[in-house]
């Protein structure tokens, strides 16, 4: 096959080039119309008031169609546009210190300290500095200066009414409220998830729009409203609420229908303004498709693809949502694909072009979040499209459409939608090799997820809610790698019945966010005090820590204390959020809200036990415990006080914040003139056995930790009264939280990044090859956690040709067969990465896998870039 056969279509290339030349832009249009209607509806029930405000914003959202598009829809009038939601949180404006801050209190929210530490990439579409007529918000988004008065006025209206402010007012009843804020200020954890990205990391259900159409949903809700009006049906708590829910769904769905119709009108408006006959015909096709799917179930593959995109975009507009995953979209759209192909209504080449255009549209989706959140998300939206997995009966679920989805990802590399394969032994070898072939292109996707491990986790976590093995097979990945429960729905198209997997849960990544494991260890060593900020964060334990067992026990005690503090505040935050910012469109789509008449906040979803406890820096913590155990407690080469003094002095190196360039690269730290006095202890700390080399000493420490954290997480209760679970990923929090942590006993220097993921070795410490790393990572039961994460970097020469493809597939499967949950690959050489740092303008389209997601190199902050470069590069597999 020639190189031309792998090239994307000319149409897709042109649209992608437009994206490359676009900047992340903020519009106030949506925000204005939502606020205006919300204000007008004062006195209305909160649920109905929100539905009317959302519907109004959808109806007034200006439709923009670009020449050459076949798939349409956008968040704003900008190609790469988004908008703020100041009814959620306002403190992100502290990331900008000019026109916007006159109205802010001096005692700003704790998140401001996080924003100040954020490191965001300076290239690509990020608007990192003010420009003529443009101001930079959150270090990323450009807002036209003329819109600043609108933003200020809207901000003033929402002052005191935001989810953040209401949540903080009520969270103050928690005795440890100040502890929660100090944990965030000092980057010990990333608290307050309800204020920043309250939904997402879940899997969309497109079933109801596809099966019934929007008019069908409206008719169903209006009929049910008449049935339930005035009837509690034996439920004295939320039974009466069903009427208001059905009212709200009907109101919002009508607004979304008008929003889609507006695209039909815009396409028709363009026809007489266009000279090219082909473009006129394409505008007419767009108008016909949008007008149909604004009301009716789709008839063709293209109509189904367009309706799923509008459905998806509706979720992105309703809420600040990261990780809204299309799920197993190739299986959901299979009925239309199969019937169109059989009838000759479409060709595979036409389908492939549409899938390439879908990648452009998903990549253009952006989220307005704070600098601190951006530094973790790195601008990614985590729209995870999964392939593979099993059917309800346990047969391979992959199909030809999924092969085309993989091919589109290969021909048009882009961050979104990111791809994951739900790997199972039963998947055909040809399909597995196709997945490996796409990985080889250097996109970082698909990631590989263990189907068996995921279904085992689901049975444990959701068994109390009726989860069965058959239903567990409907799962997909929400966000970067959050195992999300699903269910099977029967869909009928032209008299033929299909069974499709859809999402059936709340967000699967909300709760206690990103606890810094190494930082907790430092707090344990220093009696609950954070030396970097000279702040007593935790109650002093006043123990001498004379034995390793005492150290480990106190670490666990502090950790559980932190979880409990955050859990209580988090439950209040999310309870406030579900009362005043109800996710109506999300509730419309997911089973079983429409059937029950209850929205997400009233536990209308089929599965609600979805709150988690996220951890970061596991491997630095494990390696640090190994160093303490070996050097202090067993060999007694150093006293605990000598070790602590070396840590306080950063092993004789300057802290990055003490230097002019503030360089937090793990490989470029500067030693103080008298720093040589710590050479011996630093050398010994570095020489202690490190995780990732199939070493029993460090492995045992990891397994003790995993057994404890996975069981401890389930002792805590979410606001839904369900047990929580461990979530072990890093996104880019290993950079942000690393910047807030002093030196650690593993030899890591102050303010530098932690090891990425949760099962990856610290860069350069895995010296015995990937299979030794696999052995270290799989000595515990991964199904006890919602996920775990393994990243590897492989030189392209190691997997060249068909033989290399087979080797790569074998490598991934070897890890998964050992019981690993997740593995992903960066196929790139360090020379390229170094060149991209030196001349980023020449590498606009270079992508790398960070930690659960793929992102453009130029839009990643330098500390994370340096960490990716430092990862062990395997030159043979």
């Amino acid at each position: 096959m020639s190189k031309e056969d792998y090239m994307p279509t000319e149409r897709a290339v042109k649209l992608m080039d437009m994206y490359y030349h676009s900047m992340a832009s903020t519009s106030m249009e949506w925000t204005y119309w939502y606020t205006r209607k919300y204000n007008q509806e004062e006195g209305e029930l909160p649920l109905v008031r929100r539905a009317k405000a959302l519907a109004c914003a959808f109806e007034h959202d200006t439709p923009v169609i670009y020449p050459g598009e076949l798939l349409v829809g956008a968040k704003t009038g900008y190609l790469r546009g988004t908008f703020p939601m100041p009814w959620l949180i306002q403190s992100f404006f502290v990331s900008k210190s000019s026109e916007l801050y006159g109205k802010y209190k001096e005692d700003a929210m704790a998140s401001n300290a996080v924003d100040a530490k954020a490191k965001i990439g300076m290239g690509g579409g990020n608007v990192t500095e003010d420009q003529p007529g443009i101001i930079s918000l959150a270090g990323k988004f450009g807002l036209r200066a003329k819109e600043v008065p609108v933003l200020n006025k809207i901000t003033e209206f929402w002052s005191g009414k935001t989810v953040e402010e209401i949540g903080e007012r009520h969270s103050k009843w928690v005795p440890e409220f100040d502890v929660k804020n100090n944990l965030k200020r000092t980057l010990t954890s990333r608290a307050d998830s309800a204020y920043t990205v309250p939904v997402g990391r879940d899997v969309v259900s497109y079933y109801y729009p596809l099966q019934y159409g929007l008019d069908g949903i409206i008719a169903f809700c209006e009929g049910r409203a008449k049935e339930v009006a005035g009837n509690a049906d034996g439920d004295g708590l939320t039974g009466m609420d069903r009427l208001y829910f059905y009212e709200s769904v009907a109101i919002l769905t009508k607004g979304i229908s008008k929003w889609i119709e507006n695209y039909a009108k815009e396409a028709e408006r363009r026809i007489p303004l266009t000279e090219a006959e082909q473009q006129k015909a394409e505008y007419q096709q767009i108008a016909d498709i949008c007008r149909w799917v604004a009301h009716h179930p789709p008839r063709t593959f293209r109509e189904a693809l367009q309706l799923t995109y509008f459905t998806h975009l509706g979720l992105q507009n309703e809420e600040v949502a990261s990780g809204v995953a299309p799920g197993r979209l190739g299986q959901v759209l299979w009925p239309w694909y199969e019937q169109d192909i059989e009838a000759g209504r479409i060709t595979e080449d036409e389908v492939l072009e549409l899938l390439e255009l879908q990648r452009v549209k998903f990549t253009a989706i952006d989220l307005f979040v704070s600098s601190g959140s951006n530094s973790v998300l790195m601008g990614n939206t985590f729209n995870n499209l999964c392939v593979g997995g099993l059917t309800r009966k346990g047969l391979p679920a992959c199909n030809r459409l999924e092969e085309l989805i993989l091919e589109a990802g290969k021909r048009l590399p882009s961050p979104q939608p990111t791809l994951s394969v739900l790997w199972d032994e039963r998947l055909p070898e040809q399909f597995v090799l196709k997945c490996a072939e796409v990985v080889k292109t250097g996109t970082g996707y698909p990631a590989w997820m263990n189907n068996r491990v995921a279904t085992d986790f689901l049975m444990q976590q959701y068994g109390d809610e009726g989860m069965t093995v058959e239903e567990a097979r409907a799962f997909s990945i929400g966000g970067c790698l959050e195992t999300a429960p699903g269910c099977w729905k029967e869909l009928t198209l032209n008299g033929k019945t299909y069974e499709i997997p859809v999402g059936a849960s709340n967000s699967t990544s909300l709760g206690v966010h990103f606890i810094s494991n190494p930082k907790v260890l430092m707090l344990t060593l220093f009696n609950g005090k954070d030396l970097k900020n000279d702040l007593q964060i935790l109650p002093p334990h006043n123990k001498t820590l004379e034995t390793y067992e005492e150290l480990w026990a106190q670490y666990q005690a502090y950790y559980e204390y932190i979880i409990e503090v955050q859990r209580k505040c988090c439950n209040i935050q999310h309870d406030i959020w579900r009362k005043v910012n109800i996710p109506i469109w999300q509730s419309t789509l997911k089973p079983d809200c429409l059937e029950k008449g209850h929205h997400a906040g009233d536990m209308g979803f089929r599965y609600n036990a979805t709150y988690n406890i996220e951890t970061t820096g596991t491997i630095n913590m494990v390696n640090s415990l190994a160093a303490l155990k070996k050097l202090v407690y067993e060999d007694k080469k150093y006293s605990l006080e000598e070790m602590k003094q070396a840590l306080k002095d950063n092993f004789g190196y300057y802290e990055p914040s003490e230097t002019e360039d503030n360089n937090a690269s793990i490989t470029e730290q500067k030693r103080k003139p008298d720093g040589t006095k710590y050479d011996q202890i630093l050398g010994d700390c570095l020489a202690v056995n490190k995780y990732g080399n199939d070493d029993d000493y460090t492995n045992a420490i990891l397994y003790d930790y995993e057994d404890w954290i996975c069981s401890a997480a389930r002792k805590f209760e979410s606001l839904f009264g369900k047990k929580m679970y461990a979530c072990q990923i890093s996104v880019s929090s290993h950079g942000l939280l690393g910047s807030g942590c002093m030196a650690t006993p593993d030899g890591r220097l102050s303010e530098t990044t932690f090891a990425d993921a949760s099962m990856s070795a610290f860069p350069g410490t895995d010296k015995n090859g990937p299979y030794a790393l696999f052995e270290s990572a799989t000595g515990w039961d991964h199904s006890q956690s919602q996920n775990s994460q393994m990243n590897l970097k492989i030189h392209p020469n190691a997997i060249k040709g068909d033989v290399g493809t087979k080797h790569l597939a074998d490598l991934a499967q070897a890890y998964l067969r050992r019981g690993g949950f997740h593995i992903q690959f960066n196929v790139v050489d360090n020379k390229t990465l170094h060149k991209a740092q030196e001349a980023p303008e020449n590498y606009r389209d270079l992508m790398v896998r960070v930690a659960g997601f793929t992102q453009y190199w130029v839009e990643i902050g330098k500390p994370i870039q340096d960490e990716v470069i430092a990862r062990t590069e395997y030159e043979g597999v």
Side-chain angles (χ1 to χ4, degrees):
M1 189 174 286
S2 66
K3 183 178 180 181
E4 286 71 24
D5 292 321
Y6 288 99
M7 294 293 289
T9 59
E10 182 180 356
R11 184 191 304 270
V13 170
K14 287 183 178 179
L15 290 170
M16 201 68 211
D17 190 58
M18 288 175 60
Y19 171 82
Y20 287 143
H21 289 85
S22 298
M23 306 301 287
S25 302
T26 296
S27 166
M28 292 305 300
E29 182 181 54
W30 177 279
T31 311
Y32 167 79
W33 285 108
Y34 180 94
T35 302
R36 175 175 170 170
K37 187 64 175 177
Y38 188 90
N39 187 29
Q40 290 173 349
E41 294 297 324
E42 184 177 1
E44 180 59 274
L45 290 173
L47 181 62
V48 180
R49 185 182 189 184
R50 176 157 164 80
K52 290 180 178 180
L54 286 169
C56 179
F58 273 111
E59 291 171 25
H60 289 87
D61 191 41
T62 301
V64 175
I65 300 173
Y66 296 92
E69 283 194 311
L70 298 179
L71 189 68
V72 299
K75 284 177 69 72
T76 72
Y78 302 122
L79 178 63
R80 188 175 178 178
T82 187
F83 51 86
M85 294 185 180
W87 44 89
L88 267 179
I89 179 172
Q90 295 185 354
S91 59
F92 49 61
F93 294 132
V94 177
S95 61
K96 169 69 183 164
S97 59
S98 57
E99 297 94 336
L100 300 174
Y101 301 147
K103 298 180 174 66
Y104 279 91
K105 310 170 191 175
E106 293 182 4
D107 56 339
M109 298 291 182
S111 55
N112 300 342
V114 178
D115 293 344
K117 275 286 191 179
K119 302 293 183 184
I120 300 173
M122 301 299 289
N126 292 343
V127 182
T128 56
E129 297 178 351
D130 291 355
Q131 301 173 15
I134 302 291
I135 65 168
S136 172
L137 291 178
K140 177 179 174 66
F141 307 100
L143 175 69
R144 281 166 170 72
K146 64 182 181 181
E147 293 191 75
V148 169
V150 180
L151 178 56
N152 280 337
K153 188 171 183 179
I154 291 175
T155 299
E156 186 175 356
F157 170 81
W158 287 104
S159 179
K161 307 182 189 76
T162 67
V163 174
E164 177 186 34
E165 290 166 293
I166 299 171
E168 290 297 271
R169 286 201 297 268
H170 292 279
S171 293
K172 287 179 180 178
W173 285 99
V174 175
E176 305 88 357
F177 173 76
D178 289 339
V179 175
K180 184 271 294 185
N181 279 341
N182 285 336
L183 290 170
K184 185 171 185 177
R185 289 189 180 99
T186 60
L187 298 179
T188 304
S189 66
R190 288 282 291 126
D192 304 338
S193 63
Y195 307 152
T196 50
V197 190
V199 299
R201 284 79 71 208
D202 66 335
V203 177
V204 180
S205 169
Y206 303 103
Y207 170 73
Y208 296 101
L210 289 174
Q211 182 65 78
Y212 301 108
L214 299 187
D215 283 0
I217 294 174
I218 294 167
F220 175 83
C221 289
E222 290 179 343
R224 285 288 287 148
K226 294 174 183 177
E227 292 175 13
V228 304
N231 296 315
D233 199 26
D235 180 356
L237 294 177
T238 56
M240 294 295 291
D241 290 346
R242 295 177 299 161
L243 169 62
Y244 321 129
F245 172 68
Y246 286 126
E247 279 188 87
S248 299
V249 172
I251 290 168
L252 177 55
T253 306
K254 288 176 184 177
I256 290 175
S257 177
K258 291 180 181 178
W259 173 54
I260 298 173
E261 276 191 330
N262 288 341
Y263 277 91
K265 295 175 182 178
E266 173 63 13
E268 289 175 335
R269 185 189 71 83
R270 287 173 170 268
I271 292 174
L273 305 177
T274 304
E275 295 183 0
E277 291 302 318
Q278 180 180 344
Q279 183 62 74
K280 287 185 177 182
E282 289 178 359
Y283 283 146
Q284 188 61 59
Q285 289 174 342
I286 291 170
D288 293 343
I289 289 170
C290 289
R291 185 157 281 113
W292 179 267
V293 301
H295 299 279
H296 310 294
R299 301 161 296 185
T300 66
F301 176 79
R302 183 173 167 186
E303 287 179 353
L305 188 68
Q306 179 66 76
L307 181 56
T308 56
Y309 185 69
F310 274 130
T311 301
H312 194 98
L313 202 56
L315 292 167
Q316 299 280 2
N317 280 26
E318 178 182 45
E319 195 65 88
V320 178
S322 169
V324 179
R328 292 154 71 168
L329 188 59
Q331 295 165 33
V332 172
L333 293 177
W334 173 256
W336 290 269
Y337 170 83
E338 180 190 56
Q339 294 191 20
D340 275 12
I341 290 290
E342 289 179 355
R345 288 189 291 265
I346 200 167
T347 67
E348 284 200 344
D349 285 343
E350 290 171 330
V351 170
L352 192 56
E353 181 177 58
L354 288 171
L355 294 174
E356 291 172 358
L357 298 177
Q358 181 195 48
R359 297 200 64 82
V360 179
K361 299 300 290 185
F362 269 91
T363 297
I365 295 173
D366 226 328
L367 300 177
F368 191 102
V369 292
S370 66
S371 297
S373 295
N374 257 321
S375 69
V376 172
L377 303 177
M378 287 298 169
N380 206 279
T381 49
F382 305 94
N383 300 279
N384 202 324
L385 198 165
C386 289
V387 298
L390 301 178
T391 66
R392 179 198 291 268
K393 296 181 179 179
L395 300 175
C398 54
N399 58 41
R400 177 58 182 162
L401 180 55
E402 291 192 329
E403 292 179 4
L404 294 178
I405 287 171
L406 289 165
E407 184 67 20
K410 174 182 171 183
R411 295 190 184 198
L412 190 81
S414 63
Q416 301 297 321
T418 191
L419 301 176
S420 295
V421 54
L422 309 180
W423 177 84
D424 192 276
E425 291 279 10
R426 285 163 276 192
L427 292 181
E429 182 182 19
Q430 177 184 353
F431 186 77
V432 173
L433 291 176
K434 179 66 176 179
C435 293
E437 179 185 294
V438 177
V439 173
K440 284 176 54 178
T441 62
T443 58
Y445 56 70
W448 302 65
M449 312 289 181
N450 192 321
N451 192 77
R452 178 191 61 77
V453 171
T455 53
D456 286 350
F457 165 78
L458 291 167
M459 288 298 296
Q460 296 173 61
Q461 184 65 23
Y462 302 98
D464 293 343
E465 294 186 88
M467 178 66 73
T468 64
V469 172
E470 290 78 14
E471 188 126 290
R473 291 173 180 151
F475 93 97
S476 193
I477 301 298
C480 54
L481 62 154
E482 288 93 327
T483 304
C487 68
W488 302 100
K489 300 292 287 185
E490 282 196 352
L491 185 147
T492 301
L493 180 64
N494 296 321
K496 185 173 180 179
T497 299
Y498 301 81
E499 194 168 52
I500 61 172
V502 301
S505 77
N506 204 339
S507 171
T508 58
S509 185
L510 289 175
V512 176
H513 266 199
F514 293 121
I515 297 176
S516 172
N517 287 1
K519 185 71 171 277
V520 178
L521 180 58
M522 294 302 97
L523 292 172
T524 304
L525 288 177
F526 291 97
N527 205 24
K529 186 173 184 177
D530 176 24
L531 299 190
K532 281 192 65 60
N533 295 280
D534 193 26
L535 186 64
Q536 186 72 41
I537 300 179
L538 305 179
H541 57 71
N542 296 325
K543 296 177 182 177
T544 57
L545 307 177
E546 292 184 1
T547 66
Y548 175 80
E549 289 71 24
E550 186 179 21
L551 171 71
W552 174 232
Q554 184 56 48
Y555 177 86
Q556 292 172 297
Y558 265 168
Y559 210 103
E560 293 193 22
Y561 175 81
I562 291 171
I563 293 174
E564 179 62 1
V565 169
Q566 287 198 209
R567 181 197 68 86
K568 289 190 288 188
C569 291
C570 171
N571 282 351
I572 293 171
Q573 295 162 9
H574 280 275
D575 191 48
I576 297 297
W577 170 77
R578 67 170 171 168
K579 285 177 167 61
V580 302
N581 217 61
I582 305 100
I584 302 171
W585 186 234
Q586 184 196 40
S587 301
T588 303
L589 301 175
K590 292 281 186 73
D592 299 308
C593 291
L594 285 180
E595 288 84 349
K596 295 178 180 177
H598 295 306
H599 59 73
D602 284 345
M603 297 176 63
F605 292 153
R606 186 169 299 187
Y607 300 109
N608 300 281
T610 58
Y611 281 71
N612 67 10
I613 296 166
E614 292 178 339
T615 60
T616 298
T618 295
I619 298 309
N620 289 97
M621 177 269 295
V622 167
N623 289 342
S624 293
L625 285 173
L628 289 168
K629 186 177 183 182
K630 181 68 174 174
L631 298 175
V632 174
Y633 293 109
E634 291 181 352
D635 293 354
K636 301 187 185 303
K637 188 168 184 179
Y638 304 101
S639 69
L640 187 58
E641 289 305 313
E642 288 174 319
M643 178 66 74
K644 288 165 63 177
Q645 187 60 48
L647 298 175
K648 288 198 300 186
D649 290 347
N650 195 28
F651 293 111
Y653 283 76
Y654 291 106
E655 294 195 347
S657 56
E658 296 174 329
T659 63
E660 286 187 16
D661 57 5
N662 196 19
N663 185 356
S665 169
I666 60 178
T667 58
E668 300 176 13
Q669 295 306 291
K670 299 177 181 178
R671 192 165 62 176
K672 296 177 180 178
D674 62 345
T676 55
K677 64 182 179 181
Y678 291 107
D679 282 357
Q680 183 64 52
I681 190 170
L682 176 59
D684 287 340
C685 287
L686 292 171
V688 171
N689 292 344
K690 298 288 189 289
Y691 159 84
N693 298 293
D694 193 19
D695 167 66
D696 290 341
Y697 194 83
T698 52
N699 287 354
I701 295 173
L702 171 67
Y703 305 155
D704 284 346
Y705 165 78
E706 293 293 350
D707 289 345
W708 165 71
I709 191 64
C710 293
S711 60
R714 289 194 165 99
K715 296 190 301 185
F716 296 94
E717 184 181 70
S718 75
L719 78 159
F720 288 146
K722 307 292 184 182
K723 61 186 177 183
M724 301 175 76
Y725 50 76
C727 171
Q728 303 187 61
I729 60 176
S730 68
V731 195
S732 293
S733 64
H734 57 294
L736 179 65
L737 297 189
S739 70
C741 186
M742 63 188 294
T744 45
D746 58 342
R748 175 198 146 272
L749 298 180
S750 178
E751 299 181 7
T752 61
T753 62
F754 299 145
D756 74 282
S758 59
M759 294 294 103
S760 303
F762 189 78
T765 61
D766 45 335
K767 301 182 181 300
N768 295 337
Y771 289 96
L773 176 60
F774 293 173
E775 291 293 338
S776 290
T778 56
W780 63 283
D781 183 358
H782 286 215
S783 72
Q784 296 302 306
S785 176
Q786 184 197 23
N787 47 34
S788 58
Q789 189 173 15
M790 168 72 76
N791 298 332
L792 284 187
K793 187 164 69 176
I794 298 177
H795 195 284
N797 290 338
I799 50 175
K800 291 176 65 175
D802 293 341
V803 173
T805 302
K806 181 68 165 60
H807 285 168
L808 180 61
D810 288 344
L811 183 67
Q813 292 179 110
Y815 180 64
L816 299 173
R817 286 183 178 121
R818 282 173 165 82
F821 170 69
H822 157 276
I823 188 168
Q824 62 192 22
F825 301 94
N826 263 320
V827 180
V828 64
D829 67 281
N830 277 344
K831 289 182 180 178
T832 299
L833 298 182
H834 282 297
K835 289 179 180 177
Q837 276 193 324
E838 295 167 2
E841 67 277 4
N842 298 331
Y843 293 86
R844 177 63 183 88
D845 59 350
L846 175 65
M847 299 189 301
V848 295
R849 195 74 174 181
V850 181
F853 67 98
T854 296
Q855 183 56 299
Y856 291 114
W857 178 257
V858 294
E859 297 191 13
I860 298 171
K862 190 174 184 301
I864 297 297
Q865 286 185 347
D866 291 338
E867 181 268 316
V868 172
I869 290 174
R871 293 177 190 174
T872 302
E873 181 176 282
Y874 290 110
E875 297 185 355
V877 297

